[in-house]
mmCIF file of all heavy atoms in Angstrom:
data_model
loop_
_atom_site.group_PDB
_atom_site.id
_atom_site.type_symbol
_atom_site.label_atom_id
_atom_site.label_comp_id
_atom_site.label_asym_id
_atom_site.label_seq_id
_atom_site.Cartn_x
_atom_site.Cartn_y
_atom_site.Cartn_z
ATOM 1 N N GLN A 16 111.235 170.675 94.259
ATOM 2 C CA GLN A 16 111.999 171.331 95.398
ATOM 3 C C GLN A 16 111.418 172.652 95.699
ATOM 4 O O GLN A 16 110.653 173.251 94.857
ATOM 5 C CB GLN A 16 113.434 171.572 95.017
ATOM 6 C CG GLN A 16 114.253 170.355 94.964
ATOM 7 C CD GLN A 16 115.657 170.435 94.668
ATOM 8 O OE1 GLN A 16 116.210 171.439 94.574
ATOM 9 N NE2 GLN A 16 116.392 169.201 94.410
ATOM 10 N N ALA A 17 111.553 173.180 96.882
ATOM 11 C CA ALA A 17 110.975 174.371 97.467
ATOM 12 C C ALA A 17 109.475 174.227 97.712
ATOM 13 O O ALA A 17 108.820 175.305 97.802
ATOM 14 C CB ALA A 17 111.299 175.479 96.383
ATOM 15 N N GLY A 18 109.061 172.957 97.773
ATOM 16 C CA GLY A 18 107.659 172.838 98.080
ATOM 17 C C GLY A 18 107.363 172.258 99.614
ATOM 18 O O GLY A 18 106.209 171.809 99.846
ATOM 19 N N GLY A 19 108.358 172.230 100.439
ATOM 20 C CA GLY A 19 108.261 171.769 101.784
ATOM 21 C C GLY A 19 108.559 170.260 101.993
ATOM 22 O O GLY A 19 108.360 169.667 103.158
ATOM 23 N N ILE A 20 108.821 169.568 100.893
ATOM 24 C CA ILE A 20 109.006 168.076 100.948
ATOM 25 C C ILE A 20 110.292 167.805 101.807
ATOM 26 O O ILE A 20 110.234 166.921 102.683
ATOM 27 C CB ILE A 20 109.162 167.473 99.593
ATOM 28 C CG1 ILE A 20 107.824 167.603 98.905
ATOM 29 C CG2 ILE A 20 109.528 165.975 99.707
ATOM 30 C CD1 ILE A 20 107.988 167.265 97.428
ATOM 31 N N GLY A 21 111.386 168.528 101.594
ATOM 32 C CA GLY A 21 112.505 168.268 102.516
ATOM 33 C C GLY A 21 112.298 168.501 103.956
ATOM 34 O O GLY A 21 112.608 167.786 104.824
ATOM 35 N N LYS A 22 111.522 169.524 104.178
ATOM 36 C CA LYS A 22 111.043 169.754 105.654
ATOM 37 C C LYS A 22 110.184 168.709 106.182
ATOM 38 O O LYS A 22 110.605 168.216 107.398
ATOM 39 C CB LYS A 22 110.341 171.147 105.773
ATOM 40 C CG LYS A 22 111.160 172.372 105.499
ATOM 41 C CD LYS A 22 110.174 173.583 105.482
ATOM 42 C CE LYS A 22 110.789 174.646 104.675
ATOM 43 N NZ LYS A 22 109.772 175.749 104.592
ATOM 44 N N GLN A 23 109.362 168.123 105.465
ATOM 45 C CA GLN A 23 108.559 167.034 105.807
ATOM 46 C C GLN A 23 109.406 165.746 106.246
ATOM 47 O O GLN A 23 109.174 165.129 107.169
ATOM 48 C CB GLN A 23 107.541 166.733 104.973
ATOM 49 C CG GLN A 23 106.457 167.838 104.838
ATOM 50 C CD GLN A 23 105.349 167.454 103.791
ATOM 51 O OE1 GLN A 23 104.734 166.287 103.844
ATOM 52 N NE2 GLN A 23 105.207 168.396 102.860
ATOM 53 N N LEU A 24 110.352 165.530 105.292
ATOM 54 C CA LEU A 24 111.330 164.215 105.457
ATOM 55 C C LEU A 24 112.217 164.494 106.766
ATOM 56 O O LEU A 24 112.385 163.601 107.566
ATOM 57 C CB LEU A 24 112.155 164.145 104.297
ATOM 58 C CG LEU A 24 111.411 163.471 103.052
ATOM 59 C CD1 LEU A 24 112.319 163.708 101.884
ATOM 60 C CD2 LEU A 24 111.257 161.944 103.388
ATOM 61 N N MET A 25 112.516 165.754 107.027
ATOM 62 C CA MET A 25 113.399 166.034 108.072
ATOM 63 C C MET A 25 112.538 165.976 109.436
ATOM 64 O O MET A 25 112.970 165.401 110.386
ATOM 65 C CB MET A 25 114.058 167.376 108.062
ATOM 66 C CG MET A 25 115.157 167.431 107.030
ATOM 67 S SD MET A 25 115.951 169.016 106.990
ATOM 68 C CE MET A 25 116.974 168.879 108.454
ATOM 69 N N THR A 26 111.329 166.370 109.393
ATOM 70 C CA THR A 26 110.411 166.146 110.585
ATOM 71 C C THR A 26 110.259 164.691 110.828
ATOM 72 O O THR A 26 110.315 164.199 111.934
ATOM 73 C CB THR A 26 109.069 166.832 110.274
ATOM 74 O OG1 THR A 26 109.355 168.236 110.226
ATOM 75 C CG2 THR A 26 108.073 166.634 111.513
ATOM 76 N N ALA A 27 110.002 163.879 109.826
ATOM 77 C CA ALA A 27 109.862 162.410 109.920
ATOM 78 C C ALA A 27 111.071 161.783 110.528
ATOM 79 O O ALA A 27 111.056 160.856 111.371
ATOM 80 C CB ALA A 27 109.409 161.774 108.638
ATOM 81 N N ALA A 28 112.193 162.278 109.919
ATOM 82 C CA ALA A 28 113.395 161.778 110.464
ATOM 83 C C ALA A 28 113.780 162.111 111.883
ATOM 84 O O ALA A 28 114.096 161.118 112.728
ATOM 85 C CB ALA A 28 114.571 162.316 109.684
ATOM 86 N N GLU A 29 113.391 163.309 112.427
ATOM 87 C CA GLU A 29 113.592 163.592 113.777
ATOM 88 C C GLU A 29 112.562 162.849 114.634
ATOM 89 O O GLU A 29 112.997 162.498 115.850
ATOM 90 C CB GLU A 29 113.415 165.164 113.927
ATOM 91 C CG GLU A 29 114.583 165.846 113.269
ATOM 92 C CD GLU A 29 114.260 167.427 113.296
ATOM 93 O OE1 GLU A 29 113.401 167.943 113.866
ATOM 94 O OE2 GLU A 29 115.152 168.036 112.500
ATOM 95 N N GLN A 30 111.336 162.558 114.177
ATOM 96 C CA GLN A 30 110.437 161.588 115.007
ATOM 97 C C GLN A 30 110.998 160.251 115.195
ATOM 98 O O GLN A 30 110.976 159.739 116.148
ATOM 99 C CB GLN A 30 109.018 161.684 114.273
ATOM 100 C CG GLN A 30 108.045 160.831 115.085
ATOM 101 C CD GLN A 30 107.972 161.381 116.558
ATOM 102 O OE1 GLN A 30 107.650 162.562 116.859
ATOM 103 N NE2 GLN A 30 108.194 160.551 117.675
ATOM 104 N N LEU A 31 111.513 159.744 114.081
ATOM 105 C CA LEU A 31 112.140 158.426 114.086
ATOM 106 C C LEU A 31 113.263 158.455 115.078
ATOM 107 O O LEU A 31 113.584 157.395 115.737
ATOM 108 C CB LEU A 31 112.720 157.976 112.648
ATOM 109 C CG LEU A 31 113.157 156.558 112.545
ATOM 110 C CD1 LEU A 31 112.173 155.508 112.885
ATOM 111 C CD2 LEU A 31 113.753 156.433 111.246
ATOM 112 N N ALA A 32 114.108 159.517 115.145
ATOM 113 C CA ALA A 32 115.256 159.500 115.965
ATOM 114 C C ALA A 32 114.670 159.396 117.514
ATOM 115 O O ALA A 32 115.259 158.723 118.343
ATOM 116 C CB ALA A 32 115.886 160.767 115.838
ATOM 117 N N ARG A 33 113.524 160.058 117.711
ATOM 118 C CA ARG A 33 113.010 160.151 119.099
ATOM 119 C C ARG A 33 112.430 158.664 119.349
ATOM 120 O O ARG A 33 112.776 158.153 120.464
ATOM 121 C CB ARG A 33 111.872 161.069 119.290
ATOM 122 C CG ARG A 33 112.461 162.652 119.242
ATOM 123 C CD ARG A 33 111.237 163.517 119.439
ATOM 124 N NE ARG A 33 111.627 164.834 119.278
ATOM 125 C CZ ARG A 33 111.723 165.564 118.151
ATOM 126 N NH1 ARG A 33 111.204 164.959 117.058
ATOM 127 N NH2 ARG A 33 112.137 166.804 118.022
ATOM 128 N N ASP A 34 111.880 158.065 118.432
ATOM 129 C CA ASP A 34 111.337 156.673 118.466
ATOM 130 C C ASP A 34 112.413 155.708 118.712
ATOM 131 O O ASP A 34 112.334 154.810 119.531
ATOM 132 C CB ASP A 34 110.577 156.300 117.222
ATOM 133 C CG ASP A 34 109.326 157.022 117.090
ATOM 134 O OD1 ASP A 34 108.833 157.806 118.049
ATOM 135 O OD2 ASP A 34 108.790 157.007 115.949
ATOM 136 N N TRP A 35 113.652 156.005 118.186
ATOM 137 C CA TRP A 35 114.841 155.176 118.409
ATOM 138 C C TRP A 35 115.682 155.536 119.557
ATOM 139 O O TRP A 35 116.745 155.139 119.699
ATOM 140 C CB TRP A 35 115.590 155.054 117.124
ATOM 141 C CG TRP A 35 114.914 154.221 115.968
ATOM 142 C CD1 TRP A 35 113.824 153.523 115.947
ATOM 143 C CD2 TRP A 35 115.636 154.100 114.677
ATOM 144 N NE1 TRP A 35 113.655 153.032 114.758
ATOM 145 C CE2 TRP A 35 114.741 153.337 113.967
ATOM 146 C CE3 TRP A 35 116.720 154.643 114.067
ATOM 147 C CZ2 TRP A 35 115.042 152.882 112.627
ATOM 148 C CZ3 TRP A 35 116.976 154.185 112.714
ATOM 149 C CH2 TRP A 35 116.145 153.294 112.095
ATOM 150 N N GLN A 36 115.085 156.485 120.430
ATOM 151 C CA GLN A 36 115.811 156.827 121.749
ATOM 152 C C GLN A 36 117.210 157.664 121.314
ATOM 153 O O GLN A 36 118.053 157.584 122.174
ATOM 154 C CB GLN A 36 116.113 155.642 122.604
ATOM 155 C CG GLN A 36 115.002 154.772 122.739
ATOM 156 C CD GLN A 36 113.863 155.307 123.512
ATOM 157 O OE1 GLN A 36 114.023 155.573 124.695
ATOM 158 N NE2 GLN A 36 112.613 155.465 123.027
ATOM 159 N N CYS A 37 117.225 158.279 120.317
ATOM 160 C CA CYS A 37 118.437 159.094 119.954
ATOM 161 C C CYS A 37 118.251 160.539 120.598
ATOM 162 O O CYS A 37 117.088 161.000 120.611
ATOM 163 C CB CYS A 37 118.509 159.300 118.477
ATOM 164 S SG CYS A 37 118.917 157.696 117.651
ATOM 165 N N ARG A 38 119.209 161.113 121.059
ATOM 166 C CA ARG A 38 119.245 162.359 121.698
ATOM 167 C C ARG A 38 119.483 163.509 120.743
ATOM 168 O O ARG A 38 119.316 164.671 121.006
ATOM 169 C CB ARG A 38 120.207 162.475 122.953
ATOM 170 C CG ARG A 38 121.526 162.418 122.583
ATOM 171 C CD ARG A 38 122.465 162.770 123.733
ATOM 172 N NE ARG A 38 123.771 163.335 123.403
ATOM 173 C CZ ARG A 38 124.165 164.520 122.977
ATOM 174 N NH1 ARG A 38 123.290 165.381 122.883
ATOM 175 N NH2 ARG A 38 125.335 164.609 122.522
ATOM 176 N N ALA A 39 120.114 163.139 119.445
ATOM 177 C CA ALA A 39 120.474 164.155 118.591
ATOM 178 C C ALA A 39 120.498 163.614 117.187
ATOM 179 O O ALA A 39 120.547 162.435 116.975
ATOM 180 C CB ALA A 39 121.868 164.811 118.944
ATOM 181 N N MET A 40 120.443 164.576 116.097
ATOM 182 C CA MET A 40 120.528 164.327 114.766
ATOM 183 C C MET A 40 122.010 164.725 114.363
ATOM 184 O O MET A 40 122.381 165.861 114.992
ATOM 185 C CB MET A 40 119.593 165.062 113.907
ATOM 186 C CG MET A 40 118.156 164.674 114.274
ATOM 187 S SD MET A 40 117.644 163.202 113.804
ATOM 188 C CE MET A 40 117.717 163.228 112.047
ATOM 189 N N LYS A 41 122.739 164.097 113.438
ATOM 190 C CA LYS A 41 124.005 164.420 113.089
ATOM 191 C C LYS A 41 124.048 164.301 111.440
ATOM 192 O O LYS A 41 123.380 163.392 111.017
ATOM 193 C CB LYS A 41 125.037 163.567 113.670
ATOM 194 C CG LYS A 41 126.439 163.807 113.237
ATOM 195 C CD LYS A 41 127.425 162.866 113.898
ATOM 196 C CE LYS A 41 128.763 163.148 113.503
ATOM 197 N NZ LYS A 41 129.753 162.219 114.236
ATOM 198 N N MET A 42 124.789 165.247 110.916
ATOM 199 C CA MET A 42 124.859 165.141 109.376
ATOM 200 C C MET A 42 126.238 165.743 109.031
ATOM 201 O O MET A 42 127.001 166.416 109.821
ATOM 202 C CB MET A 42 123.818 165.884 108.709
ATOM 203 C CG MET A 42 123.898 167.389 108.851
ATOM 204 S SD MET A 42 122.563 168.340 108.021
ATOM 205 C CE MET A 42 121.069 167.828 108.864
ATOM 206 N N THR A 43 126.645 165.364 107.808
ATOM 207 C CA THR A 43 127.814 166.109 107.280
ATOM 208 C C THR A 43 127.517 166.664 105.984
ATOM 209 O O THR A 43 126.752 166.268 105.248
ATOM 210 C CB THR A 43 129.017 164.932 107.008
ATOM 211 O OG1 THR A 43 128.476 163.976 106.145
ATOM 212 C CG2 THR A 43 129.501 164.338 108.255
ATOM 213 N N VAL A 44 128.178 167.889 105.808
ATOM 214 C CA VAL A 44 127.788 168.813 104.658
ATOM 215 C C VAL A 44 129.096 169.303 104.049
ATOM 216 O O VAL A 44 129.955 169.691 104.728
ATOM 217 C CB VAL A 44 126.946 169.926 105.092
ATOM 218 C CG1 VAL A 44 126.461 170.769 103.805
ATOM 219 C CG2 VAL A 44 125.649 169.385 105.843
ATOM 220 N N ILE A 45 129.199 169.410 102.758
ATOM 221 C CA ILE A 45 130.239 169.897 102.148
ATOM 222 C C ILE A 45 130.118 171.526 102.248
ATOM 223 O O ILE A 45 129.162 172.035 102.095
ATOM 224 C CB ILE A 45 130.351 169.717 100.584
ATOM 225 C CG1 ILE A 45 130.484 168.237 100.263
ATOM 226 C CG2 ILE A 45 131.414 170.479 99.830
ATOM 227 C CD1 ILE A 45 130.200 167.787 98.854
ATOM 228 N N PRO A 46 131.348 172.168 102.890
ATOM 229 C CA PRO A 46 131.067 173.531 103.249
ATOM 230 C C PRO A 46 130.845 174.551 102.184
ATOM 231 O O PRO A 46 130.430 175.657 102.347
ATOM 232 C CB PRO A 46 132.536 173.802 104.052
ATOM 233 C CG PRO A 46 133.416 172.695 103.533
ATOM 234 C CD PRO A 46 132.606 171.627 103.166
ATOM 235 N N GLN A 47 131.167 174.130 100.951
ATOM 236 C CA GLN A 47 130.928 174.969 99.753
ATOM 237 C C GLN A 47 129.350 175.111 99.512
ATOM 238 O O GLN A 47 128.980 175.935 98.761
ATOM 239 C CB GLN A 47 131.652 174.402 98.485
ATOM 240 C CG GLN A 47 133.044 174.654 98.560
ATOM 241 C CD GLN A 47 133.813 173.462 99.198
ATOM 242 O OE1 GLN A 47 133.414 172.726 99.875
ATOM 243 N NE2 GLN A 47 135.148 173.286 98.863
ATOM 244 N N ARG A 48 128.657 174.367 100.098
ATOM 245 C CA ARG A 48 127.122 174.260 99.857
ATOM 246 C C ARG A 48 126.333 175.196 100.850
ATOM 247 O O ARG A 48 125.644 174.885 101.655
ATOM 248 C CB ARG A 48 126.653 172.920 99.901
ATOM 249 C CG ARG A 48 127.443 171.968 99.033
ATOM 250 C CD ARG A 48 126.766 170.769 98.437
ATOM 251 N NE ARG A 48 125.409 171.099 98.017
ATOM 252 C CZ ARG A 48 124.387 170.112 98.063
ATOM 253 N NH1 ARG A 48 124.613 169.009 98.674
ATOM 254 N NH2 ARG A 48 123.286 170.421 97.624
ATOM 255 N N HIS A 49 126.719 176.520 100.708
ATOM 256 C CA HIS A 49 126.227 177.581 101.692
ATOM 257 C C HIS A 49 124.590 177.419 101.740
ATOM 258 O O HIS A 49 124.082 177.688 102.969
ATOM 259 C CB HIS A 49 126.770 178.944 101.145
ATOM 260 C CG HIS A 49 128.234 179.080 101.005
ATOM 261 N ND1 HIS A 49 129.000 179.031 102.136
ATOM 262 C CD2 HIS A 49 129.012 179.010 99.903
ATOM 263 C CE1 HIS A 49 130.362 178.972 101.760
ATOM 264 N NE2 HIS A 49 130.285 179.016 100.496
ATOM 265 N N GLU A 50 123.906 177.442 100.607
ATOM 266 C CA GLU A 50 122.418 177.550 100.818
ATOM 267 C C GLU A 50 121.977 176.312 101.550
ATOM 268 O O GLU A 50 120.982 176.379 102.311
ATOM 269 C CB GLU A 50 121.926 177.477 99.337
ATOM 270 C CG GLU A 50 122.007 178.815 98.624
ATOM 271 C CD GLU A 50 122.607 178.607 97.205
ATOM 272 O OE1 GLU A 50 123.055 177.550 96.881
ATOM 273 O OE2 GLU A 50 122.683 179.549 96.518
ATOM 274 N N LEU A 51 122.545 175.117 101.388
ATOM 275 C CA LEU A 51 122.273 173.882 102.063
ATOM 276 C C LEU A 51 122.400 174.081 103.432
ATOM 277 O O LEU A 51 121.581 173.785 104.362
ATOM 278 C CB LEU A 51 122.889 172.693 101.449
ATOM 279 C CG LEU A 51 122.319 171.362 102.014
ATOM 280 C CD1 LEU A 51 120.890 171.165 101.775
ATOM 281 C CD2 LEU A 51 123.253 170.266 101.392
ATOM 282 N N ILE A 52 123.524 174.576 103.833
ATOM 283 C CA ILE A 52 123.972 174.758 105.301
ATOM 284 C C ILE A 52 122.889 175.821 105.906
ATOM 285 O O ILE A 52 122.374 175.542 107.049
ATOM 286 C CB ILE A 52 125.344 175.276 105.462
ATOM 287 C CG1 ILE A 52 126.433 174.190 105.012
ATOM 288 C CG2 ILE A 52 125.630 175.763 106.820
ATOM 289 C CD1 ILE A 52 127.865 174.603 104.894
ATOM 290 N N ALA A 53 122.623 176.861 105.253
ATOM 291 C CA ALA A 53 121.646 177.741 105.773
ATOM 292 C C ALA A 53 120.259 177.128 105.963
ATOM 293 O O ALA A 53 119.446 177.415 106.896
ATOM 294 C CB ALA A 53 121.490 178.938 104.822
ATOM 295 N N PHE A 54 119.855 176.151 104.962
ATOM 296 C CA PHE A 54 118.525 175.448 105.106
ATOM 297 C C PHE A 54 118.547 174.624 106.417
ATOM 298 O O PHE A 54 117.672 174.617 107.195
ATOM 299 C CB PHE A 54 118.428 174.533 103.869
ATOM 300 C CG PHE A 54 117.320 173.684 104.040
ATOM 301 C CD1 PHE A 54 115.997 173.970 103.569
ATOM 302 C CD2 PHE A 54 117.576 172.287 104.252
ATOM 303 C CE1 PHE A 54 114.981 173.002 103.750
ATOM 304 C CE2 PHE A 54 116.543 171.306 104.403
ATOM 305 C CZ PHE A 54 115.236 171.744 104.124
ATOM 306 N N TYR A 55 119.692 173.992 106.638
ATOM 307 C CA TYR A 55 119.846 173.146 107.864
ATOM 308 C C TYR A 55 119.837 174.044 109.212
ATOM 309 O O TYR A 55 119.264 173.753 110.170
ATOM 310 C CB TYR A 55 120.998 172.167 107.861
ATOM 311 C CG TYR A 55 120.909 171.105 106.825
ATOM 312 C CD1 TYR A 55 121.969 170.792 105.917
ATOM 313 C CD2 TYR A 55 119.688 170.284 106.624
ATOM 314 C CE1 TYR A 55 121.868 169.786 105.022
ATOM 315 C CE2 TYR A 55 119.659 169.390 105.760
ATOM 316 C CZ TYR A 55 120.695 169.075 104.941
ATOM 317 O OH TYR A 55 120.633 168.163 104.088
ATOM 318 N N GLU A 56 120.445 175.144 109.077
ATOM 319 C CA GLU A 56 120.455 176.048 110.237
ATOM 320 C C GLU A 56 119.155 176.616 110.685
ATOM 321 O O GLU A 56 118.904 176.738 111.778
ATOM 322 C CB GLU A 56 121.514 177.231 110.066
ATOM 323 C CG GLU A 56 122.936 176.818 110.028
ATOM 324 C CD GLU A 56 123.970 177.873 109.734
ATOM 325 O OE1 GLU A 56 123.570 178.759 109.066
ATOM 326 O OE2 GLU A 56 125.040 177.678 110.177
ATOM 327 N N ARG A 57 118.329 176.804 109.573
ATOM 328 C CA ARG A 57 116.994 177.336 109.806
ATOM 329 C C ARG A 57 116.214 176.202 110.615
ATOM 330 O O ARG A 57 115.169 176.534 111.244
ATOM 331 C CB ARG A 57 116.229 177.836 108.500
ATOM 332 C CG ARG A 57 116.909 178.952 107.998
ATOM 333 C CD ARG A 57 116.071 179.576 106.907
ATOM 334 N NE ARG A 57 115.898 178.817 105.725
ATOM 335 C CZ ARG A 57 116.777 178.631 104.758
ATOM 336 N NH1 ARG A 57 117.867 179.533 104.697
ATOM 337 N NH2 ARG A 57 116.576 177.887 103.619
ATOM 338 N N ARG A 58 116.613 174.997 110.480
ATOM 339 C CA ARG A 58 115.852 173.916 111.143
ATOM 340 C C ARG A 58 116.553 173.535 112.404
ATOM 341 O O ARG A 58 116.258 172.390 112.769
ATOM 342 C CB ARG A 58 115.799 172.663 110.188
ATOM 343 C CG ARG A 58 114.636 172.919 109.134
ATOM 344 C CD ARG A 58 114.726 172.557 107.779
ATOM 345 N NE ARG A 58 113.761 173.298 106.901
ATOM 346 C CZ ARG A 58 114.004 174.373 106.521
ATOM 347 N NH1 ARG A 58 115.077 175.241 106.729
ATOM 348 N NH2 ARG A 58 113.134 175.099 105.678
#
């Protein structure tokens, strides 16, 4: 962790979404996971 792998997977996921004609990405997160929410917000 903290080596950019999550970012790379998210970039690949977003490209797949475009390839599949999706207009948005959606996820659910446990609200107590503040650092994870901040990670997603930065993206």
Side-chain angles (χ1 to χ4, degrees):
Q16 290 179 10
I20 295 167
K22 292 176 198 172
Q23 291 178 56
L24 282 165
M25 290 183 74
T26 298
E29 291 171 12
Q30 183 57 55
L31 184 65
R33 289 182 190 92
D34 294 347
W35 285 1
Q36 312 292 299
C37 294
R38 69 168 198 83
M40 300 289 298
K41 180 180 177 179
M42 67 178 67
T43 56
V44 184
I45 297 170
Q47 290 89 339
R48 303 205 51 215
H49 304 288
E50 290 130 348
L51 187 59
I52 291 168
F54 171 82
Y55 291 135
E56 287 177 334
R57 288 191 300 273
R58 275 139 204 87

